Amino acid sequence: MNYLLHLTIYFCIYAILAMSLNVMVGYCGRLTLASSGYFAIGAYSYALASVLLGWHFVPAILLGIIISALASLVLSVAAWRFKGDVFVMFSLAVQAIILGVCVNWAVGSAELGTWANLTNGPLGISSIANPVHTRGNFAILALALMGGAAVLCRLLLASPFGRILLAMRDDELALRGLGKGVKMAKVYAFAFSCGLAALAGSLYAAYLGYVNPSVAALDFSVLWLCMAIIGGMGNLYGPFAGAALLLLLPEVLRFAQMPTAVADDMRLLLYGVFLILMTFFRPQGICGRYRVD
Amino acid sequence: MRQIQGRLTMDKEPAFDIATSARTRGSRPEGAVLLRASGLSKAFGSQLVLDGVDLELRQGEVVILRGFNGSGKSTLLNILSANLEPDAGVLELGVNGARKIFRFPSRWWQKLGLNNRFTPELIFNKGFGRTWQDIRLFSSLSLRDNIAAAIPEQVGENPWFAVGRFSAVQRQESTVASSSQEELELLGLGEEGALLAEKLSVGHAKCVAIARAVRAGAKVICLDEPLAGVDTLHKKKIVELLRVLAQREHITLVIIEHSWNISQIMDLATTLWTLEGGKLRVEQPSMAGLPPVNADNESDIQQLGRTATLTSRRVVGKEVATPFLEVEDLVVYRGRRLIVGDYQEDGGEIKGVSFTLRQPGLYHLHAPNAWGASTLIEAIAGIIPVARGKIRLNGKDIERFSPWHRVSAGVRIALARANGFQSLTVREMFDLAQVRSLPEGFDLLLEKQMSSLSGGERQKVVLWSILHGPAFMVGIFDEPYMSLDVREAERISAELGRLASEKAILITVPASTCSTGEGFYEVP
Amino acid sequence: MVAIFADGFVSGLGTALLAVAFAVVYLPTRVFYIALGGIFTFVPYVVWACMMAGFGVIASFGCGIFSGIILSVLAEAVLHGPLEQRKTATDGHFVCSLGYYIVLIQIVCLIWGTQKKAFRLGADVMTEVGGVRLSFAQFTGAIAAILILTGFYLWVQHSRLGTQFRALADNPRELALAGRDIRALRLLAFAISGAFAAASAIMFASDLGFHPYSGLDAVLIALAAAMVGARWSLFGAVGMGIVIGIVRAQAGFVFSAQWQDPVTFLILIGVLWLQEVFSAKRRLEAV
């Protein structure tokens, strides 16, 4: 039962991440490798707010979302001018910078919380408060947050705003030729996307009680991008398919008597194979609408 | 159709209003000046496309913009819709009362993207809309959503309202949806509201694109080839739609069209703008001045549809030539647009292009711009796939051959405005082309990089590397004289004429050149 | 000061090899060849396995280069070539390349585990060149890189095939019309790319050791350098790679080792942005 709750919590975190990528990749048409960076912003903001300032759950999460949304301006301004490979480069640069900040904003023996030490470097931040005391309650909290994120996604993406995003993705120049500005749409969409990534990060930090710079690793960005692509994007269901697959695949492999370490590698190997097969046979993913080709 | 607050509504009988037509045809409307441009210039590399264009657009005008250099017309349209910045000039917009002046060249900070006001959105908000040659509907949206996306002042486009004022957004959405549905019904597409735009036929798609621009609130619409690639039935629909827009809705229109379609809209037109040699001429609308078909007693002329002709010159003293390149019923698309091929009057199957090149023989394909000559040649070269039809070389089907196989089978092709390889020197170009003997006049150029040469010099290198390269059976040259000076063009023309005494040579010639009567197009 | 410059120059040469590997594929095909990261990770393991099996150093290096070539040619033959036939957009190529990268990394993990490895035991021999102390691995790596890059330059500039190769990088369509088999030339491009990536991987692995996750960060910096440099020319990528190596070393000195990557990326995207802004005004619409 405990394990099932653990899986549920992780499903919620992955689903929120998949929704975040759905907005940026599926609706705005920008492949990104920066998601782990914004995840880390959420995780660290929550950790610092909770450990240093003693904030409760909701304000701490909101802080992470706001900081992440502000930090998304870098990407949205880049998206005003760039797309495709060049935008991927920008997103990589942003991820590298955020990782650098997480690893390095810690000078020698300075105390955590001073301007000399905001992240505690490779040691990370521990003793992060859990807002609820049982795993069961945390699972309910996670489900509620995921549900809330899903409702917000539905409201936004099924609205005229979502329609503008899709039109912009299909043909930005034609849309601008109809008098619709696209810059603010990108700013809002990216802020929403990065805010969702930060929400997932905060949830992660609250659950584990500990964060370190590894949450900002590029490998996570790659993994989550795979998850989103394979699950499918451009509609409201794809993210859930992607999250489910990411969660259940290792379980299936474990069921097949594979040792855990091997199972992890096999899962990633299968992901790589799926990505390749997908570009040939099913570019819209399991149940998405946006075709990556 | 009537426009009420930006919506088109259909009257029972959308009859052609003769009285209005008689009033407006043959006399320029004296409405307010909506747009004034002076000294517009634009060059691409060394090619000067617009050379100090002056124009004035008045309310209520229906302008046909025609020209013999295809890129000049679309360049001008792109400038007027802020998709392209001119190198120099002044543009004044005066729709909706508020005047806005743009001066070019723009300042350095504007080039960096800071405070750059010359954007498509701003131009549209001044009332100037446009449609595109390649239509550009939002392919993953339904038809209804395509029109809905264009409707201005939607509260729900602001994400804060989409979430915070959900019921107000929903109310507006249902109005928008029913309004879009009505538009579609007027276009005869009422049942197809949920159809994805990418699945729509070209004729229907063009109607939807025009309706989209109207629905977005444009007071001036620039239409880029609204009739190109459209079947006869839809041409009539589009012309009717344009008539309604001009005469009932009083929307000012600027229409780029080509000679074979111009006749269909000439009676709508109030003004004719002709782009020639980089300059604009303003005239009363008439069918005069359009390129005639080049008739020559000594040549065979084959009609290829849409005023294009293939002229062949018999070579004196040679036996009747054997067919070498046979093109049979060729139909080629770019995306969903039909480029090579003709829709039938009776709505039947598309008629492909067919012709035969015999060896020896010199052929000239006279085709107006945008007829699809370049696409036809690229299809023969194997660069783009063929939708239907056969290409036979010396009896062998070559549609499945890769471009380099076709070359080794004996076809050599020079595309229009071929630039060669920028990073190679001229000597390396000739080496690559396996030139047997260096042509004359290149001594000074041999060690220069292609990127440092002018457009004409590059064209020269590319052409001579084919002419002096390995032997071929069929040579196809797309607008070979385009960037050349007269002397060089004469030399190449003479060489092609000489080669035509052994091989099959096809040269495409833009429609303008046959009317200039310049000597070097006559082969001795 | 000189030592840092020399250090940067040497690692810049390794980055330059990788940058060329990327540019040689990117320029003619526009494929964002992120799978180079996988090849970069895979090759040192092949070398190490050969060494463990008793092959000599040179033979092992040779096997490594050969494996790099094979892996890269496979990418074109099985993945990017067929996708190109279907006229897949660049995003599709990127996703496929990402998949191949993941597959290669995971094969390495499954076969060899995730522990960091090295080609030799213990510290390297230090040599002194012109007053600068370099490790033997750095010294020989630098010499090899200079030889390879010079040889490549001479081949590309002066040989028949090299000229075709430059033409391919310039305008593949025109080259096909000139009667050259561009499918074969693309395979050659990928083979050269694999060889260069392998050489770079061996160079870095000899100096710093290797593990399955060392690939991506190093490769991405090289890729960024290549993207920026290749906008000028094939050898722009070389120049940019060397410059980046020097910049990184200086950044490591001025800030700290861990700030190298962020600072390098910041500079690269700054240059990229300026390039976009000052490039010849492209037509917004292809007519």
Side-chain angles (χ1 to χ4, degrees):
Chain A
M1 186 59 197
N2 239 0
Y3 190 60
L4 213 57
L5 293 172
H6 171 83
L7 285 182
T8 305
I9 293 166
Y10 265 91
F11 175 75
C12 296
I13 293 173
Y14 291 151
I16 295 172
L17 276 166
M19 283 185 244
S20 158
L21 282 165
N22 187 25
V23 172
M24 200 178 292
V25 184
Y27 278 77
C28 296
R30 299 289 196 276
L31 282 169
T32 174
L33 287 173
S35 47
S36 63
Y38 292 93
F39 181 87
I41 288 179
Y44 270 87
S45 305
Y46 180 85
L48 288 169
S50 142
V51 167
L52 291 179
L53 303 172
W55 284 14
H56 289 306
F57 186 67
V58 171
I61 281 193
L62 281 174
L63 179 70
I65 291 175
I66 291 170
I67 295 178
S68 189
L70 288 171
S72 75
L73 276 172
V74 179
L75 279 186
S76 41
V77 170
W80 287 354
R81 217 177 242 280
F82 304 114
K83 55 182 181 175
D85 304 334
V86 184
F87 183 79
V88 171
M89 272 291 134
F90 268 89
S91 71
L92 273 171
V94 167
Q95 185 274 338
I97 290 164
I98 296 175
L99 177 63
V101 165
C102 293
V103 171
N104 299 315
W105 201 329
V107 175
S109 53
E111 211 180 283
L112 179 67
T114 58
W115 283 110
N117 182 4
L118 214 54
T119 63
N120 223 18
L123 291 175
I125 302 173
S126 49
S127 310
I128 303 170
N130 191 325
V132 295
H133 297 295
T134 65
R135 192 170 288 191
N137 288 344
F138 198 92
I140 295 172
L141 183 64
L143 281 167
L145 283 174
M146 182 190 79
V151 167
L152 212 55
C153 276
R154 170 121 197 354
L155 279 175
L156 279 176
L157 300 177
S159 73
F161 175 69
R163 186 167 53 216
I164 287 292
L165 292 184
L166 286 174
M168 192 175 70
R169 184 197 71 192
D170 283 344
D171 202 325
E172 186 174 314
L173 206 54
L175 185 65
R176 290 172 71 188
L178 293 166
K180 305 275 175 164
V182 298
K183 286 186 174 170
M184 280 317 288
K186 283 179 188 160
V187 169
Y188 285 131
F190 280 40
F192 181 56
S193 170
C194 295
L196 281 174
L199 173 64
S202 303
L203 208 53
Y204 174 87
Y207 180 55
L208 283 196
Y210 168 68
V211 285
N212 72 6
S214 70
V215 297
L218 183 58
D219 294 310
F220 282 127
S221 281
V222 170
L223 178 67
W224 297 332
L225 184 62
C226 290
M227 164 182 71
I229 292 173
I230 293 172
M233 293 175 289
N235 61 12
L236 301 167
Y237 318 108
F240 295 101
L245 187 70
L246 185 62
L247 196 71
L248 297 176
L249 197 51
E251 303 309 315
V252 168
L253 294 173
R254 236 186 295 268
F255 198 69
Q257 307 295 339
M258 223 176 263
T260 311
V262 177
D264 277 342
D265 292 333
M266 274 308 288
R267 169 179 80 169
L268 279 171
L269 181 69
L270 283 173
Y271 261 59
V273 172
F274 286 163
L275 274 189
I276 294 172
L277 291 175
M278 255 191 52
T279 43
F280 280 91
F281 302 115
R282 202 173 164 86
Q284 69 270 40
I286 295 175
C287 55
R289 267 188 67 185
Y290 172 60
R291 296 169 59 104
V292 287
D293 66 347
Chain B
M1 294 185 207
R2 275 178 299 120
Q3 190 175 43
I4 299 175
Q5 291 170 343
R7 280 176 45 217
L8 289 178
T9 57
M10 183 75 106
D11 285 336
K12 271 263 156 61
E13 298 280 340
F16 175 39
D17 187 331
I18 295 171
T20 313
S21 159
R23 253 199 322 277
T24 54
R25 191 167 49 145
S27 63
R28 269 188 88 181
E30 292 301 318
V33 173
L34 301 180
L35 181 150
R36 187 179 286 128
S38 42
L40 289 182
S41 295
K42 182 72 189 171
F44 292 107
S46 56
Q47 203 190 357
L48 187 62
V49 169
L50 299 177
D51 185 12
V53 163
D54 299 325
L55 54 88
E56 207 175 72
L57 183 67
R58 289 178 179 274
Q59 164 107 45
E61 280 195 278
V62 176
V63 177
I64 293 182
L65 170 57
R66 62 172 192 173
F68 301 123
N69 282 332
S71 53
K73 300 192 292 296
S74 288
T75 304
L76 182 60
L77 183 52
N78 285 334
I79 288 173
L80 296 182
S81 56
N83 292 126
L84 193 62
E85 266 196 29
D87 297 332
V90 179
L91 203 58
E92 253 181 80
L93 305 176
V95 187
N96 299 336
R99 266 185 47 192
K100 179 85 186 158
I101 301 182
F102 296 98
R103 291 181 205 282
F104 301 96
S106 53
R107 302 297 171 90
W108 65 267
W109 62 84
Q110 288 170 325
K111 285 199 209 294
L112 284 178
L114 302 165
N115 198 33
N116 183 13
R117 300 320 233 141
F118 192 61
T119 58
E121 311 87 287
L122 191 113
I123 298 289
F124 190 90
N125 287 324
K126 291 269 161 261
F128 288 82
R130 71 167 290 174
T131 63
W132 305 79
Q133 219 175 61
D134 47 357
I135 310 165
R136 296 181 101 148
L137 291 184
F138 304 122
S139 49
S140 67
L141 293 183
S142 66
L143 294 188
R144 205 175 302 126
D145 279 338
N146 260 275
I147 303 210
I151 293 171
E153 287 164 33
Q154 289 187 53
V155 168
E157 282 173 6
N158 186 322
W160 295 111
F161 290 137
V163 175
R165 290 179 57 185
F166 181 69
S167 41
V169 168
Q170 285 297 101
R171 270 197 307 273
Q172 193 184 37
E173 257 305 275
S174 63
T175 318
V176 162
S178 57
S179 162
S180 310
Q181 181 63 25
E182 272 177 45
E183 298 282 344
L184 288 177
E185 265 152 30
L186 291 178
L187 295 172
L189 291 168
E191 306 291 309
E192 323 283 4
L195 184 67
L196 286 186
E198 61 189 359
K199 301 205 190 301
L200 200 59
S201 72
V202 169
H204 279 135
K206 289 203 167 187
C207 291
V208 174
I210 296 171
R212 188 177 67 171
V214 173
R215 198 59 193 83
K219 298 284 178 286
V220 179
I221 305 183
C222 300
L223 298 120
D224 200 346
E225 298 182 31
L227 302 177
V230 173
D231 58 273
T232 319
L233 177 65
H234 283 102
K235 267 190 199 165
K236 292 195 175 107
K237 273 189 153 176
I238 292 173
V239 171
E240 188 52 38
L241 180 56
L242 294 178
R243 197 186 304 284
V244 166
L245 292 181
Q247 289 165 359
R248 280 226 166 107
E249 313 308 329
H250 306 296
I251 292 179
T252 308
L253 299 176
V254 177
I255 308 169
I256 294 180
E257 257 311 339
H258 294 284
S259 48
W260 65 89
N261 282 326
I262 282 183
S263 55
Q264 311 210 27
I265 46 174
M266 194 55 90
D267 58 346
L268 267 183
T270 61
T271 322
L272 194 62
W273 288 351
T274 306
L275 258 181
E276 200 166 7
K279 300 253 185 245
L280 192 85
R281 224 171 40 238
V282 179
E283 294 161 313
Q284 295 300 315
S286 83
M287 296 297 292
L290 292 173
V293 170
N294 197 19
D296 187 315
N297 291 335
E298 295 261 336
S299 330
D300 294 324
I301 300 174
Q302 182 189 347
Q303 302 293 334
L304 292 182
R306 289 174 292 141
T307 77
T309 57
L310 185 70
T311 315
S312 63
R313 290 186 189 279
R314 276 191 293 277
V315 179
V316 173
K318 290 270 180 176
E319 293 301 314
V320 170
T322 50
F324 208 80
L325 181 76
E326 294 166 87
V327 169
E328 196 182 292
D329 195 33
L330 208 68
V331 172
V332 184
Y333 288 85
R334 277 204 196 271
R336 297 180 57 76
R337 284 189 303 155
L338 177 67
I339 306 286
V340 175
D342 281 314
Y343 287 105
Q344 301 278 50
E345 283 288 330
D346 57 4
E349 223 185 37
I350 293 167
K351 182 162 170 250
V353 167
S354 306
F355 60 87
T356 301
L357 301 183
R358 294 163 200 275
Q359 198 188 34
L362 177 64
Y363 298 82
H364 286 94
L365 171 59
H366 299 281
N369 279 297
W371 179 88
S374 299
T375 303
L376 171 68
I377 290 174
E378 287 181 17
I380 296 175
I383 294 171
I384 53 179
V386 155
R388 199 181 82 203
K390 293 233 168 275
I391 306 172
R392 267 190 288 271
L393 190 69
N394 210 10
K396 206 169 16 174
D397 280 342
I398 61 167
E399 305 93 60
R400 298 222 178 279
F401 282 25
S402 61
W404 50 93
H405 275 141
R406 297 183 198 205
V407 172
S408 56
V411 184
R412 278 314 298 273
I413 292 180
L415 297 179
R417 285 173 283 278
N419 271 320
F421 308 104
Q422 302 291 317
S423 56
L424 300 193
T425 60
V426 173
R427 186 188 291 280
E428 286 170 336
M429 281 287 298
F430 287 143
D431 280 342
L432 192 70
Q434 296 171 284
V435 154
R436 293 160 279 130
S437 58
L438 274 178
E440 280 174 30
F442 282 95
D443 306 317
L444 294 174
L445 291 179
L446 276 178
E447 305 308 328
K448 285 195 166 185
Q449 265 207 333
M450 288 289 278
S451 54
S452 66
L453 301 182
S454 71
E457 285 170 328
R458 281 201 289 268
Q459 177 92 343
K460 207 168 88 168
V461 171
V462 169
L463 288 172
W464 281 108
S465 60
I466 294 176
L467 295 174
H468 274 221
F472 53 87
M473 300 302 182
V474 177
I476 302 180
F477 298 84
D478 193 2
E479 297 189 24
Y481 311 117
M482 172 67 86
S483 326
L484 301 177
D485 60 63
V486 176
R487 209 164 54 92
E488 195 55 46
E490 278 175 2
R491 273 185 68 201
I492 289 190
S493 173
E495 181 69 15
L496 286 173
R498 192 191 63 75
L499 283 172
S501 62
E502 297 155 11
K503 310 176 193 298
I505 301 283
L506 170 66
I507 303 172
T508 73
V509 179
S512 58
T513 54
C514 52
S515 63
T516 62
E518 291 187 29
F520 62 84
Y521 295 113
E522 302 300 309
V523 177
Chain C
M1 199 53 203
V2 179
I4 292 168
F5 181 86
D7 213 44
F9 182 73
V10 170
S11 82
L13 283 171
T15 308
L17 283 173
L18 207 45
V20 171
F22 180 79
V24 138
V25 162
Y26 185 69
L27 280 174
T29 68
R30 292 284 166 231
V31 167
F32 194 83
Y33 197 24
I34 200 169
L36 272 183
I39 297 175
F40 185 88
T41 305
F42 204 95
V43 162
Y45 283 88
V46 171
V47 172
W48 183 81
C50 290
M51 283 177 171
M52 292 296 115
F55 290 33
V57 169
I58 302 295
S60 304
F61 284 1
C63 287
I65 304 261
F66 184 69
S67 68
I69 294 173
I70 296 292
L71 288 172
S72 191
V73 167
L74 260 176
E76 162 68 2
V78 176
L79 303 175
H80 297 291
L83 282 178
E84 179 65 28
Q85 299 283 62
R86 296 157 161 236
K87 306 266 180 254
T88 305
T90 51
D91 277 357
H93 281 277
F94 173 74
V95 168
C96 197
S97 197
L98 190 63
Y100 191 46
Y101 159 79
I102 293 170
V103 165
L104 288 175
I105 301 289
Q106 295 316 308
I107 290 177
V108 164
C109 291
L110 282 167
I111 300 177
W112 288 291
T114 56
Q115 297 285 19
K116 188 167 173 178
K117 293 190 187 338
F119 289 153
R120 62 178 175 276
L121 297 166
D124 199 4
V125 175
M126 297 305 282
T127 51
E128 194 161 310
V129 179
V132 179
R133 282 175 66 82
L134 293 170
S135 72
F136 185 68
Q138 279 183 316
F139 179 66
T140 46
I143 299 291
I146 290 172
L147 285 173
I148 293 171
L149 286 169
T150 311
F152 182 63
Y153 178 80
L154 290 171
W155 176 77
V156 153
Q157 291 295 124
H158 297 292
S159 77
R160 277 252 145 83
L161 196 56
T163 309
Q164 287 180 36
F165 199 75
R166 270 188 294 138
L168 180 77
D170 206 302
N171 196 338
R173 194 178 78 156
E174 198 69 36
L175 192 62
L177 287 177
R180 305 293 173 176
D181 186 347
I182 53 173
R183 253 176 245 156
L185 282 170
R186 276 175 64 121
L187 282 168
L188 178 63
F190 274 81
I192 293 174
S193 176
F196 273 64
S200 176
I202 292 171
M203 202 176 141
F204 279 114
S206 304
D207 188 26
L208 305 166
F210 52 97
H211 63 87
Y213 301 106
S214 53
L216 200 56
D217 289 313
V219 162
L220 286 168
I221 296 245
L223 259 52
M227 266 188 103
V228 171
R231 274 149 182 257
W232 294 305
S233 73
L234 196 54
F235 286 92
V238 173
M240 206 62 208
I242 295 176
V243 164
I244 284 301
I246 296 169
V247 162
R248 284 191 80 202
Q250 297 296 337
F253 179 65
V254 170
F255 303 98
S256 80
Q258 291 98 333
W259 283 111
Q260 275 178 325
D261 281 350
V263 169
T264 311
F265 263 117
L266 260 174
I267 293 174
L268 276 170
I269 60 174
V271 176
L272 203 61
W273 184 74
L274 284 170
Q275 268 184 336
E276 277 295 308
V277 163
F278 287 111
S279 67
K281 216 59 167 111
R282 284 187 299 275
R283 303 178 78 166
L284 276 177
E285 174 208 10
V287 175

